[in-house]
Amino acid sequence: RRLMAIRFFFHRTAQTILRVAKQPLLRWGARTMKLLPTLLLVLFAAPTFAAADVVIYGGTSGGVAAAIQTARMGKTAVLIEPTKFLGGLTTGGLGATDIGNKKAIGGISREFYSRVFKYYADDSKWTAQTRAEYYAKKAHGNTSANEGTMWTFEPHVASQIYAGMLKEADVPVVFGERLDLKSGVIKDGTRVTKIMMESGRAFEGKMFIDATYEGDLMAAAKVGYIVKHRAIGFVANAETIGVFAFAAVRTRVSSEKTSSLQKLRHRER
């Protein structure tokens, strides 16, 4: 669209030049200046994206991983983050990972922790203490300086790593765009085809992933979901989408949901 608008501008300008070539210079300038707002609108308008295979709403760690994996599978992805920061809790200060069995962590998650290890393998990155002193404490699962992964990190390091991984995967990231909760989900039958932001910006895709903590996209799309906490779970509807997993233990379940809960427990057995 931008290219078409630019071509249209120069075509109109050329026509104007030919038409007024014999007219006074000031009159020609006045006509040409009328087209200036069009050019400015084209140059400074927000960039648009073609329909992506996967549109990920929410730049949490899960959203970042989903975008990277989509690109690695040869599909197109766009990652939309309502704030100005990527990474959610990981880049927001939760840099001490609760780790049990390290062997259970793989995929992009382990790749992230491997990159953390490589970053801190540089002794110049240690200012408050030495690398050897830190590993001697064996804190937060960091039991060996040679295991290839590190489970603690500074927020800016996590941000740097995520940015690097997204750049390598060539995934476009859109910041500061928040979903229009009232009419921001466009559907064709039961399939979501487009989401609209509060700014009016639209994103089309074949598949949509809600990677936010709040689940606003799922709620707006009115999809069913399951809330679980250990052995407790129930089928919920979009009206109660804001219920967190831990709240499931304290939530009073209706007779209809109780029946669904019993079926769920039966399947788990």
Side-chain angles (χ1 to χ4, degrees):
R1 294 177 182 176
R2 179 180 297 184
L3 181 59
M4 291 179 63
I6 292 175
R7 288 177 176 174
F8 172 78
F9 169 80
F10 285 109
H11 178 69
R12 287 289 303 276
T13 302
Q15 287 183 330
T16 303
I17 293 174
L18 293 175
R19 188 169 56 251
V20 301
K22 297 181 180 181
Q23 298 180 10
L25 181 60
L26 291 177
R27 187 176 178 183
W28 171 82
R31 291 191 176 186
T32 305
M33 287 299 292
K34 290 181 180 180
L35 298 176
L36 183 59
T38 302
L39 177 61
L40 294 176
L41 180 62
V42 170
L43 293 178
F44 293 100
T48 57
F49 292 93
D53 292 315
V54 182
V55 177
I56 301 103
Y57 181 65
T60 61
S61 292
V64 172
I68 293 171
Q69 182 60 27
T70 298
R72 290 178 178 178
M73 293 174 68
K75 304 298 182 179
T76 58
V78 57
L79 179 60
I80 308 169
E81 167 53 38
T83 71
K84 297 180 180 180
F85 306 97
L86 279 178
L89 292 175
T90 304
T91 59
L94 190 61
T97 308
D98 293 328
I99 181 67
N101 183 3
K102 303 173 189 176
K103 295 180 180 179
I105 299 178
I108 293 177
S109 294
R110 194 171 191 88
E111 181 180 339
F112 169 80
Y113 291 112
S114 296
R115 295 194 182 209
V116 172
F117 177 83
K118 291 179 181 178
Y119 177 89
Y120 287 108
D122 183 355
D123 290 334
S124 66
K125 300 296 191 295
W126 297 83
T127 56
Q129 63 185 151
T130 66
R131 188 165 179 265
E133 289 173 342
Y134 178 80
Y135 274 99
K137 296 180 179 180
K138 297 183 178 181
H140 299 287
N142 297 300
T143 57
S144 172
N146 300 312
E147 67 179 12
T149 54
M150 186 170 176
W151 309 94
T152 52
F153 47 86
E154 299 163 280
H156 76 274
V157 175
S159 296
Q160 178 179 319
I161 292 173
Y162 277 157
M165 294 174 73
L166 287 167
K167 184 177 181 179
E168 292 171 10
D170 196 24
V171 174
V173 181
V174 180
F175 291 97
E177 291 288 356
R178 191 175 300 276
L179 179 70
D180 182 348
L181 299 181
K182 294 182 179 180
S183 57
V185 176
I186 311 301
K187 301 169 73 174
D188 180 9
T190 60
R191 178 180 291 275
V192 177
T193 59
K194 180 192 301 184
I195 58 176
M196 303 288 296
M197 304 295 108
E198 292 178 346
S199 66
R201 196 170 180 182
F203 295 88
E204 298 182 10
K206 299 178 182 178
M207 181 179 293
F208 294 81
I209 296 177
D210 187 339
T212 64
Y213 293 126
E214 300 81 10
D216 286 339
L217 177 54
M218 286 199 303
K222 302 186 184 305
V223 299
Y225 67 100
I226 295 177
V227 176
K228 294 194 66 177
H229 177 243
R230 298 183 182 178
I232 305 297
F234 62 86
V235 177
N237 56 41
E239 294 178 354
T240 57
I241 194 71
V243 179
F244 289 94
F246 286 97
V249 180
R250 303 190 301 272
T251 302
R252 180 175 298 176
V253 184
S254 66
S255 58
E256 179 181 354
K257 292 176 182 176
T258 301
S259 176
S260 298
L261 173 60
Q262 291 173 345
K263 294 178 181 179
L264 179 63
R265 286 177 171 170
H266 178 73
R267 289 198 300 270
E268 289 180 341
R269 293 194 188 101

